[in-house]
Amino acid sequence: MLQDGTMRDFLVLGVESSCDDTAAAVVLSRRDGTKAILSNVTLAQYDRHAAFGGVVPEIAARAHVERIDGIIAHAIETSGHTYEDLDAIAATAGPGLIGGVMVGLTAAKAVALAHSKPLVPVNHLEGHALSARMTEDAAFPYLLLLISGGHTQLIEVSGVGAYRRLGTTIDDAAGEAFDKSAKLLGLGQPGGPTIEAAAKEGRADRFAFPKPLARREGCDFSLSGMKTALRLEAEAISSPTARDVADLAASFQAAIAAHLADRTVRAMELVETTGAARTLVVAGGVAANGAIRSKLEALTRDRGWRLVVPPAKYCTDNGAMIAWAGIERLRVGLAPSFEEALAFAPRARWPLAEPLAGREHGGGKKGPKA
Ligand code: KG4
Ligand code: ZN
């Protein structure tokens, strides 16, 4: 374990391969608190999976194998540093598609061994949870709304390694709902941006959508009913025009935004009772959605909360957030020994935090990841 973490600079390589992005980045965190993302390389695989209507684990793993070495080398080269300059290597060790996680973690182990550098296995969700601290001024504690293709969770973040999960999806993840619904409407993938674009021309009040889990206590999400409601509305129109598709997209997007906001308010109420700082951090690819952002802006403003949304390229899967999570762990002495890190086995499932009252749900198109 590296000692005296608070009093030094850290230059860390981050490696991410848990889903369909092969990514690597070099991040510098200086002892004076300043930080710099020196390189951030991401290669998506949409082209490889497009024909199958979703991410195919085998194809993803093979694409990671083909690309990972080149992506890591590119991240190092463009950072202006060499492997020898690195203080450590951080890599996603789960949760995610096991084949992909294995590829990235093994590549990171090889770099660590070849250059005798410390290795930090990182929980992908911790990467998302801490990313706002890399790009913004976000002090602990805060409430995190993580909305991506694989995860939809509300987490109270009190410190590095100190997480309390307040809610999670009981079925689909938010991004997954967008992707499946876009397919249903004949729009392109990824579905979030195509639905958002179609919705711009549409009326959000034309179709009524359900309010999932309205009468159930807690902050859990349920998003698969939205997709079903959309399908039923779409099927009721004999030959949908562009206007119909726009109205369907706008109504669907508004319903998702309303559900996310509703759950987030419940979590805010919970956090307010503990007197914790009133900051809401949003991460994950779905955070790019303008309608969802406006909704969250309005509700944080109304309740006197601060809203923090990292730039889109750090909201979606990226290597920089993994490097940053590694840095955060190194600073507080929470990184494992070299031997422990080398022996660390990739994990398909790896909950960041235990659920509030012992409840456990699956969810997400990549299986129950967390
Ligand atoms: O975080 P991310 O890059 O990858 C993981 O799933 O981990 O998130 C990708 C998801 C996709 O489902 C995509 O449709 C969604 O984020 N997304 C959006 C938007 N941009 C990306 N969803 C809604 N509106 C958007 N503008
Ligand atoms: Zn992610």
Side-chain angles (χ1 to χ4, degrees):
M1 192 184 297
L2 292 178
Q3 297 299 323
D4 219 5
T6 52
M7 296 306 295
R8 48 171 297 185
D9 292 357
F10 281 105
L11 184 75
V12 172
L13 166 70
V15 179
E16 159 60 35
S17 59
S18 65
C19 188
D20 56 349
D21 292 306
T22 316
V26 175
V27 177
L28 171 64
S29 166
R30 300 186 193 88
R31 73 195 76 189
D32 65 4
T34 59
K35 46 228 165 183
I37 298 162
L38 301 178
S39 64
N40 187 45
V41 187
T42 305
L43 191 53
Q45 304 176 357
Y46 289 124
D47 51 331
R48 304 273 180 117
H49 304 281
F52 304 96
V55 177
V56 184
E58 259 308 305
I59 295 176
R62 246 176 263 169
H64 287 305
V65 170
E66 286 166 26
R67 300 164 170 193
I68 194 87
D69 292 341
I71 295 280
I72 290 175
H74 192 50
I76 294 288
E77 277 160 28
T78 50
S79 75
H81 286 274
T82 64
Y83 289 102
E84 297 317 314
D85 298 337
L86 295 173
D87 292 297
I89 292 123
T92 296
L97 299 174
I98 195 67
V101 176
M102 227 178 257
V103 171
L105 184 59
T106 306
K109 284 179 180 175
V111 174
L113 265 173
H115 301 277
S116 301
K117 301 289 178 184
L119 173 72
V120 189
V122 168
N123 183 314
H124 178 83
L125 299 172
E126 182 165 71
H128 280 302
L130 301 178
S131 63
R133 291 166 52 78
M134 171 177 69
T135 57
E136 326 288 317
D137 171 28
F140 296 128
Y142 52 79
L143 176 65
L144 171 78
L145 172 64
L146 171 58
I147 37 178
S148 72
H151 310 282
T152 300
Q153 303 196 351
L154 278 156
I155 296 168
E156 188 179 14
V157 180
S158 326
V160 180
Y163 311 106
R164 186 165 72 124
R165 195 173 83 198
L166 306 180
T168 187
T169 180
I170 62 168
D171 40 56
D172 289 352
E176 180 181 16
F178 273 99
D179 295 342
K180 288 180 176 170
S181 300
K183 196 173 170 210
L184 218 135
L185 291 175
L187 301 170
Q189 295 293 323
T194 56
I195 288 195
E196 183 170 17
K200 286 214 163 56
E201 313 298 325
R203 268 182 44 201
D205 59 355
R206 176 162 160 206
F207 299 99
F209 276 77
K211 291 187 170 56
L213 306 179
R215 284 199 293 276
R216 202 160 107 179
E217 266 185 56
C219 310
D220 282 342
F221 302 84
S222 172
L223 292 143
S224 66
M226 303 278 191
K227 180 189 62 201
T228 310
L230 179 79
R231 183 172 54 75
L232 295 175
E233 295 288 6
E235 282 172 1
I237 306 169
S238 53
S239 45
T241 62
R243 160 125 325 268
D244 293 328
V245 171
D247 291 347
L248 284 165
S251 303
F252 169 82
Q253 179 177 263
I256 298 263
H259 182 53
L260 295 177
D262 178 69
R263 303 290 117 170
T264 305
V265 168
R266 289 184 179 201
M268 288 161 87
E269 285 167 357
L270 256 176
V271 169
E272 280 169 4
T273 62
T274 67
R278 300 178 167 210
T279 303
L280 175 67
V281 171
V282 190
V286 182
N289 187 279
I292 291 169
R293 253 177 212 242
S294 314
K295 195 92 189 166
L296 296 172
E297 264 157 22
L299 77 88
T300 44
R301 197 172 45 239
D302 289 351
R303 295 184 78 89
W305 278 54
R306 181 177 163 231
L307 178 68
V308 176
V309 189
K313 64 179 169 184
Y314 303 118
C315 274
T316 58
D317 289 350
N318 65 89
M321 72 178 190
I322 302 304
W324 179 258
I327 289 168
E328 293 256 35
R329 289 209 155 247
L330 289 164
R331 281 218 180 281
V332 296
L334 276 177
S337 71
F338 191 61
E339 291 70 28
E340 283 168 336
L342 274 189
F344 200 98
R347 299 178 178 179
R349 290 174 58 92
W350 186 3
L352 185 60
E354 294 311 312
L356 259 188
R359 290 166 296 135
E360 188 57 80
H361 298 297
K365 70 183 164 193
K366 295 118 200 176
K369 292 207 293 196

PDB file of all heavy atoms in Angstrom, residues 173-193:
ATOM      1  N   ALA A 173     -32.881  -0.707 -16.745  1.00  0.00           N
ATOM      2  CA  ALA A 173     -32.147   0.529 -16.439  1.00  0.00           C
ATOM      3  C   ALA A 173     -32.707   1.635 -17.334  1.00  0.00           C
ATOM      4  O   ALA A 173     -33.330   1.360 -18.370  1.00  0.00           O
ATOM      5  CB  ALA A 173     -30.662   0.339 -16.691  1.00  0.00           C
ATOM      6  N   ALA A 174     -32.476   2.902 -16.953  1.00  0.00           N
ATOM      7  CA  ALA A 174     -33.050   4.028 -17.702  1.00  0.00           C
ATOM      8  C   ALA A 174     -32.570   4.045 -19.157  1.00  0.00           C
ATOM      9  O   ALA A 174     -33.364   4.202 -20.089  1.00  0.00           O
ATOM     10  CB  ALA A 174     -32.708   5.345 -17.014  1.00  0.00           C
ATOM     11  N   GLY A 175     -31.274   3.867 -19.367  1.00  0.00           N
ATOM     12  CA  GLY A 175     -30.738   3.884 -20.729  1.00  0.00           C
ATOM     13  C   GLY A 175     -31.292   2.729 -21.554  1.00  0.00           C
ATOM     14  O   GLY A 175     -31.565   2.874 -22.750  1.00  0.00           O
ATOM     15  N   GLU A 176     -31.463   1.606 -20.880  1.00  0.00           N
ATOM     16  CA  GLU A 176     -32.018   0.424 -21.531  1.00  0.00           C
ATOM     17  C   GLU A 176     -33.447   0.696 -21.997  1.00  0.00           C
ATOM     18  O   GLU A 176     -33.850   0.296 -23.101  1.00  0.00           O
ATOM     19  CB  GLU A 176     -31.992  -0.700 -20.491  1.00  0.00           C
ATOM     20  CG  GLU A 176     -32.523  -2.016 -20.945  1.00  0.00           C
ATOM     21  CD  GLU A 176     -32.469  -3.035 -19.805  1.00  0.00           C
ATOM     22  OE1 GLU A 176     -32.317  -2.628 -18.634  1.00  0.00           O
ATOM     23  OE2 GLU A 176     -32.600  -4.227 -20.098  1.00  0.00           O
ATOM     24  N   ALA A 177     -34.220   1.419 -21.165  1.00  0.00           N
ATOM     25  CA  ALA A 177     -35.593   1.772 -21.542  1.00  0.00           C
ATOM     26  C   ALA A 177     -35.581   2.657 -22.791  1.00  0.00           C
ATOM     27  O   ALA A 177     -36.388   2.477 -23.709  1.00  0.00           O
ATOM     28  CB  ALA A 177     -36.285   2.490 -20.381  1.00  0.00           C
ATOM     29  N   PHE A 178     -34.652   3.601 -22.839  1.00  0.00           N
ATOM     30  CA  PHE A 178     -34.523   4.452 -24.030  1.00  0.00           C
ATOM     31  C   PHE A 178     -34.130   3.616 -25.249  1.00  0.00           C
ATOM     32  O   PHE A 178     -34.707   3.774 -26.336  1.00  0.00           O
ATOM     33  CB  PHE A 178     -33.472   5.548 -23.801  1.00  0.00           C
ATOM     34  CG  PHE A 178     -34.012   6.791 -23.145  1.00  0.00           C
ATOM     35  CD1 PHE A 178     -33.853   7.014 -21.790  1.00  0.00           C
ATOM     36  CD2 PHE A 178     -34.685   7.747 -23.899  1.00  0.00           C
ATOM     37  CE1 PHE A 178     -34.356   8.165 -21.187  1.00  0.00           C
ATOM     38  CE2 PHE A 178     -35.186   8.907 -23.311  1.00  0.00           C
ATOM     39  CZ  PHE A 178     -35.019   9.112 -21.947  1.00  0.00           C
ATOM     40  N   ASP A 179     -33.153   2.725 -25.079  1.00  0.00           N
ATOM     41  CA  ASP A 179     -32.651   1.951 -26.218  1.00  0.00           C
ATOM     42  C   ASP A 179     -33.731   1.022 -26.783  1.00  0.00           C
ATOM     43  O   ASP A 179     -33.936   0.954 -27.996  1.00  0.00           O
ATOM     44  CB  ASP A 179     -31.408   1.149 -25.805  1.00  0.00           C
ATOM     45  CG  ASP A 179     -30.236   2.055 -25.437  1.00  0.00           C
ATOM     46  OD1 ASP A 179     -30.270   3.248 -25.824  1.00  0.00           O
ATOM     47  OD2 ASP A 179     -29.303   1.591 -24.766  1.00  0.00           O
ATOM     48  N   LYS A 180     -34.430   0.316 -25.886  1.00  0.00           N
ATOM     49  CA  LYS A 180     -35.472  -0.621 -26.345  1.00  0.00           C
ATOM     50  C   LYS A 180     -36.627   0.139 -26.995  1.00  0.00           C
ATOM     51  O   LYS A 180     -37.207  -0.309 -27.986  1.00  0.00           O
ATOM     52  CB  LYS A 180     -35.993  -1.438 -25.164  1.00  0.00           C
ATOM     53  CG  LYS A 180     -35.008  -2.485 -24.661  1.00  0.00           C
ATOM     54  CD  LYS A 180     -35.608  -3.250 -23.489  1.00  0.00           C
ATOM     55  CE  LYS A 180     -34.691  -4.381 -23.020  1.00  0.00           C
ATOM     56  NZ  LYS A 180     -35.190  -4.955 -21.743  1.00  0.00           N
ATOM     57  N   SER A 181     -36.966   1.293 -26.421  1.00  0.00           N
ATOM     58  CA  SER A 181     -38.095   2.057 -26.950  1.00  0.00           C
ATOM     59  C   SER A 181     -37.765   2.680 -28.301  1.00  0.00           C
ATOM     60  O   SER A 181     -38.628   2.790 -29.176  1.00  0.00           O
ATOM     61  CB  SER A 181     -38.515   3.133 -25.951  1.00  0.00           C
ATOM     62  OG  SER A 181     -38.899   2.512 -24.746  1.00  0.00           O
ATOM     63  N   ALA A 182     -36.508   3.062 -28.484  1.00  0.00           N
ATOM     64  CA  ALA A 182     -36.094   3.625 -29.777  1.00  0.00           C
ATOM     65  C   ALA A 182     -36.245   2.555 -30.858  1.00  0.00           C
ATOM     66  O   ALA A 182     -36.722   2.817 -31.969  1.00  0.00           O
ATOM     67  CB  ALA A 182     -34.652   4.108 -29.692  1.00  0.00           C
ATOM     68  N   LYS A 183     -35.874   1.355 -30.520  1.00  0.00           N
ATOM     69  CA  LYS A 183     -35.981   0.231 -31.460  1.00  0.00           C
ATOM     70  C   LYS A 183     -37.449   0.042 -31.858  1.00  0.00           C
ATOM     71  O   LYS A 183     -37.786  -0.104 -33.034  1.00  0.00           O
ATOM     72  CB  LYS A 183     -35.438  -1.028 -30.777  1.00  0.00           C
ATOM     73  CG  LYS A 183     -35.138  -2.139 -31.735  1.00  0.00           C
ATOM     74  CD  LYS A 183     -34.453  -3.289 -31.028  1.00  0.00           C
ATOM     75  CE  LYS A 183     -34.402  -4.483 -31.959  1.00  0.00           C
ATOM     76  NZ  LYS A 183     -34.425  -5.749 -31.212  1.00  0.00           N
ATOM     77  N   LEU A 184     -38.307   0.101 -30.845  1.00  0.00           N
ATOM     78  CA  LEU A 184     -39.741  -0.049 -31.056  1.00  0.00           C
ATOM     79  C   LEU A 184     -40.303   1.030 -31.985  1.00  0.00           C
ATOM     80  O   LEU A 184     -41.214   0.796 -32.770  1.00  0.00           O
ATOM     81  CB  LEU A 184     -40.376   0.101 -29.674  1.00  0.00           C
ATOM     82  CG  LEU A 184     -41.538  -0.750 -29.293  1.00  0.00           C
ATOM     83  CD1 LEU A 184     -41.294  -1.268 -27.875  1.00  0.00           C
ATOM     84  CD2 LEU A 184     -42.784   0.082 -29.315  1.00  0.00           C
ATOM     85  N   LEU A 185     -39.746   2.235 -31.869  1.00  0.00           N
ATOM     86  CA  LEU A 185     -40.233   3.357 -32.686  1.00  0.00           C
ATOM     87  C   LEU A 185     -39.529   3.434 -34.036  1.00  0.00           C
ATOM     88  O   LEU A 185     -39.779   4.340 -34.832  1.00  0.00           O
ATOM     89  CB  LEU A 185     -40.017   4.686 -31.940  1.00  0.00           C
ATOM     90  CG  LEU A 185     -40.885   4.922 -30.697  1.00  0.00           C
ATOM     91  CD1 LEU A 185     -40.478   6.219 -29.992  1.00  0.00           C
ATOM     92  CD2 LEU A 185     -42.363   4.966 -31.054  1.00  0.00           C
ATOM     93  N   GLY A 186     -38.592   2.503 -34.275  1.00  0.00           N
ATOM     94  CA  GLY A 186     -37.861   2.510 -35.544  1.00  0.00           C
ATOM     95  C   GLY A 186     -36.789   3.580 -35.590  1.00  0.00           C
ATOM     96  O   GLY A 186     -36.344   3.996 -36.661  1.00  0.00           O
ATOM     97  N   LEU A 187     -36.342   4.039 -34.404  1.00  0.00           N
ATOM     98  CA  LEU A 187     -35.274   5.046 -34.348  1.00  0.00           C
ATOM     99  C   LEU A 187     -33.935   4.336 -34.125  1.00  0.00           C
ATOM    100  O   LEU A 187     -33.892   3.192 -33.691  1.00  0.00           O
ATOM    101  CB  LEU A 187     -35.553   6.039 -33.218  1.00  0.00           C
ATOM    102  CG  LEU A 187     -36.877   6.804 -33.319  1.00  0.00           C
ATOM    103  CD1 LEU A 187     -37.169   7.564 -32.024  1.00  0.00           C
ATOM    104  CD2 LEU A 187     -36.859   7.767 -34.502  1.00  0.00           C
ATOM    105  N   GLY A 188     -32.836   5.033 -34.388  1.00  0.00           N
ATOM    106  CA  GLY A 188     -31.507   4.419 -34.321  1.00  0.00           C
ATOM    107  C   GLY A 188     -30.988   4.216 -32.904  1.00  0.00           C
ATOM    108  O   GLY A 188     -31.581   4.671 -31.929  1.00  0.00           O
ATOM    109  N   GLN A 189     -29.845   3.509 -32.802  1.00  0.00           N
ATOM    110  CA  GLN A 189     -29.175   3.249 -31.520  1.00  0.00           C
ATOM    111  C   GLN A 189     -27.893   4.076 -31.411  1.00  0.00           C
ATOM    112  O   GLN A 189     -27.252   4.307 -32.436  1.00  0.00           O
ATOM    113  CB  GLN A 189     -28.843   1.762 -31.401  1.00  0.00           C
ATOM    114  CG  GLN A 189     -30.051   0.853 -31.349  1.00  0.00           C
ATOM    115  CD  GLN A 189     -30.886   1.025 -30.087  1.00  0.00           C
ATOM    116  OE1 GLN A 189     -30.339   1.253 -29.003  1.00  0.00           O
ATOM    117  NE2 GLN A 189     -32.191   0.963 -30.203  1.00  0.00           N
ATOM    118  N   PRO A 190     -27.448   4.471 -30.221  1.00  0.00           N
ATOM    119  CA  PRO A 190     -28.144   4.319 -28.958  1.00  0.00           C
ATOM    120  C   PRO A 190     -29.430   5.141 -28.922  1.00  0.00           C
ATOM    121  O   PRO A 190     -29.503   6.221 -29.508  1.00  0.00           O
ATOM    122  CB  PRO A 190     -27.132   4.802 -27.918  1.00  0.00           C
ATOM    123  CG  PRO A 190     -26.212   5.700 -28.676  1.00  0.00           C
ATOM    124  CD  PRO A 190     -26.163   5.163 -30.080  1.00  0.00           C
ATOM    125  N   GLY A 191     -30.430   4.608 -28.217  1.00  0.00           N
ATOM    126  CA  GLY A 191     -31.776   5.157 -28.287  1.00  0.00           C
ATOM    127  C   GLY A 191     -31.983   6.488 -27.576  1.00  0.00           C
ATOM    128  O   GLY A 191     -32.885   7.244 -27.955  1.00  0.00           O
ATOM    129  N   GLY A 192     -31.176   6.772 -26.557  1.00  0.00           N
ATOM    130  CA  GLY A 192     -31.365   8.024 -25.813  1.00  0.00           C
ATOM    131  C   GLY A 192     -31.302   9.244 -26.711  1.00  0.00           C
ATOM    132  O   GLY A 192     -32.263  10.033 -26.786  1.00  0.00           O
ATOM    133  N   PRO A 193     -30.197   9.410 -27.422  1.00  0.00           N
ATOM    134  CA  PRO A 193     -30.081  10.592 -28.288  1.00  0.00           C
ATOM    135  C   PRO A 193     -31.119  10.623 -29.415  1.00  0.00           C
ATOM    136  O   PRO A 193     -31.608  11.703 -29.759  1.00  0.00           O
ATOM    137  CB  PRO A 193     -28.667  10.468 -28.874  1.00  0.00           C
ATOM    138  CG  PRO A 193     -27.925   9.598 -27.908  1.00  0.00           C
ATOM    139  CD  PRO A 193     -28.934   8.669 -27.315  1.00  0.00           C
TER     140      PRO A 193
END
